[in-house]
Amino acid sequence: MAAETGLASRLYRGEAGLNIVGRRKLWFSIAAVLVVIALGSVVFRGFSLGIEFEGGNSFQIPTSVGTMQDAEATANQSLTTAGGGAHVVTAQKVGGAGGEFYELRTTQLNSEQAEAVRVDVAQRFGIDPDQISANRVSEAWGSQVTNRALLGLVIFIALVTVYLILRFELNMAIAAIFSLVMNLALTSGIYSIVGFEVTPSTIVGFLTILGFALYDVVVVFDKVQENTRGITANNNQTYGEAANLAVNQSLMRSLNTSVVALLPVGGILFIGAGLLGAGTLKDLGLVLFVGMAMAFLTSILLATPLLVVLKNRDPRIAAHNKRVEARRAAVARGEVPAGKSTSRRTERVEEQVEPVAAEEAGAAALAGAAAPKVGARPAGKRSGGARGGRPGGNRPGAGKRR
């Protein structure tokens, strides 16, 4: 019995009664504060861009030289000596056909400096310089990736807007796009605050989480549409209450979907990149994990509450909400029975029937008052005639003398 009444069970049945839509001002306030912090970090702190965006050099050193910390420390010493003050930006362990390497990415070096650093690092480790490979990355490639990603983002949002308008309505499309933009803004802010490196894999991850965020919103809005279909024909619920019920009913489904999606992404991030050292998976895993978690929160706490705000501005929905509140006030005063049917059609029928019933009741009362009782004399007639004669005085021959 305790398991059936627990929070998890009530969430699964949609009976938890969490007032999510009713507390929309709280969610909007928290989101506004977080967005201000995120944008402030992006403006003043910026992003930790990878060498694909800023340009730089990369060196691949065999793992046989020792730990990655040893490789990074030695490379910094060589960069200080032969690289004109350059430094290592990132270090990660990668694998390839030729074995495993430590990939060290540095700030920009010219060709002479890069060759001098490669030779110096080899001498410090006591290996052949040919075992260390050096490459230069131009920032132009990163700019090209960024421009194409922005173009893809614009096309994606345009197509999503058209789909949501055709599938649902304009207000739902606006709320969904707002949720997607908030998801991107908050995820970007986390990247800027924490200092995660932004690489082309990060850009791909950003585009990926948009699809997941859209799925979350569509799941919730589909239930909202089901609960609010024909709502103005019944005065039992306001639009906000019906939408809040839909959020409660779809909350467990959204939570299960998010957890199931986060488990493999968490495996890529924490096991693949963390324990196994697969550094190439770190950038993609980070953005997917953060973005999917934010997508769940924005779809529940921001998308549906904003939809309710937009719908309440509709005159038809506003009038319906007022009717619901007026009926509840009448029930509280005892003017209307609490269990009485409240559909608009029933109210119109009752408005037509009540005057007819009142007229029939009045006619029946008049007829009852005019009907003589059994054995009673007719009203207005006197037994002795008009002048008080003897009984039977009106009979023929009663006035003749003998």
Side-chain angles (χ1 to χ4, degrees):
M1 183 63 68
E4 296 179 357
T5 59
L7 178 60
S9 299
R10 289 187 287 116
L11 281 174
Y12 184 80
R13 297 192 300 268
E15 300 173 355
L18 301 179
N19 190 16
I20 295 175
V21 173
R23 297 178 179 175
R24 53 185 176 270
K25 292 184 179 179
L26 174 62
W27 313 132
F28 291 158
S29 300
I30 294 175
V33 172
L34 293 178
V35 167
V36 170
I37 295 174
L39 293 180
S41 178
V42 171
V43 172
F44 297 103
R45 179 188 177 99
F47 294 102
S48 178
L49 299 176
I51 63 173
E52 295 88 354
F53 296 99
E54 289 188 335
N57 296 72
S58 65
F59 297 89
Q60 290 187 340
I61 303 173
T63 56
S64 59
V65 299
T67 64
M68 186 167 61
Q69 289 76 12
D70 295 335
E72 184 176 358
T74 303
N76 275 321
Q77 293 174 1
S78 299
L79 289 168
T80 303
T81 303
H87 62 275
V88 176
V89 178
T90 61
Q92 60 183 3
K93 185 178 180 180
V94 298
E100 293 184 336
F101 300 90
Y102 296 129
E103 183 178 39
L104 307 180
R105 297 181 177 183
T106 70
T107 52
Q108 291 189 18
L109 300 169
N110 56 38
S111 56
E112 292 80 7
Q113 290 174 332
E115 180 63 20
V117 169
R118 186 175 73 90
V119 173
D120 188 73
V121 170
Q123 291 177 352
R124 291 177 184 272
F125 282 120
I127 60 176
D128 190 343
D130 292 337
Q131 293 182 265
I132 300 177
S133 61
N135 299 293
R136 186 176 181 181
V137 180
S138 174
E139 66 275 11
W141 185 75
S143 300
Q144 185 178 8
V145 171
T146 303
N147 293 334
R148 291 183 177 179
L150 291 176
L151 178 61
L153 176 62
V154 172
I155 295 175
F156 177 84
I157 291 179
L159 294 177
V160 166
T161 303
V162 173
Y163 165 76
L164 291 173
I165 292 175
L166 296 177
R167 174 64 178 82
F168 297 107
E169 57 174 297
L170 178 60
N171 288 328
M172 287 188 174
I174 295 174
I177 297 302
F178 172 78
S179 175
L180 295 182
V181 173
M182 290 295 293
N183 187 16
L184 289 178
L186 294 176
T187 305
S188 301
I190 292 176
Y191 259 74
S192 175
I193 293 172
V194 179
F196 294 159
E197 185 181 18
V198 178
T199 65
S201 298
T202 306
I203 303 300
V204 174
F206 268 104
L207 298 178
T208 303
I209 63 175
L210 289 178
F212 185 84
L214 176 64
Y215 172 79
D216 263 359
V217 173
V218 169
V219 167
V220 178
F221 279 4
D222 185 69
K223 194 63 179 178
V224 171
Q225 187 182 52
E226 178 183 340
N227 285 7
T228 58
R229 185 178 291 112
I231 191 173
T232 56
N234 194 301
N235 291 342
N236 291 331
Q237 279 184 321
T238 64
Y239 187 93
E241 292 169 346
N244 189 74
L245 177 61
V247 172
N248 278 269
Q249 291 172 335
S250 58
L251 180 60
M252 202 63 185
R253 178 180 176 182
S254 297
L255 181 61
N256 289 337
T257 302
S258 300
V259 170
V260 170
L262 285 173
L263 285 177
V265 175
I268 293 175
L269 178 60
F270 299 110
I271 298 177
L275 297 179
L276 301 180
T280 53
L281 300 176
K282 180 182 67 176
D283 302 332
L284 182 61
L286 279 173
V287 67
L288 289 179
F289 192 84
V290 175
M292 287 181 177
M294 296 304 302
F296 168 74
L297 295 177
T298 55
S299 64
I300 297 296
L301 301 180
L302 296 181
T304 306
L306 178 61
L307 172 64
V308 173
V309 172
L310 296 176
K311 292 294 290 185
N312 285 342
R313 295 181 179 180
D314 186 345
R316 187 172 60 93
I317 298 298
H320 165 74
N321 293 338
K322 289 181 180 179
R323 287 197 301 269
V324 174
E325 294 172 358
R327 178 190 174 274
R328 289 176 180 173
V331 171
R333 293 191 301 267
E335 298 175 358
V336 177
K340 187 177 180 180
S341 175
T342 58
S343 66
R344 294 295 300 157
R345 180 177 181 183
T346 304
E347 288 182 353
R348 288 194 296 267
V349 171
E350 290 176 351
E351 290 172 359
Q352 296 173 359
V353 170
E354 287 178 358
V356 176
E359 183 178 352
E360 292 178 352
L366 292 176
K373 298 180 180 180
V374 178
R377 294 172 180 171
K381 293 184 178 182
R382 299 180 182 178
S383 59
R387 296 181 180 181
R390 293 177 297 178
N394 292 333
R395 288 180 299 174
K400 293 181 179 182
R401 295 181 179 178
R402 293 182 181 179

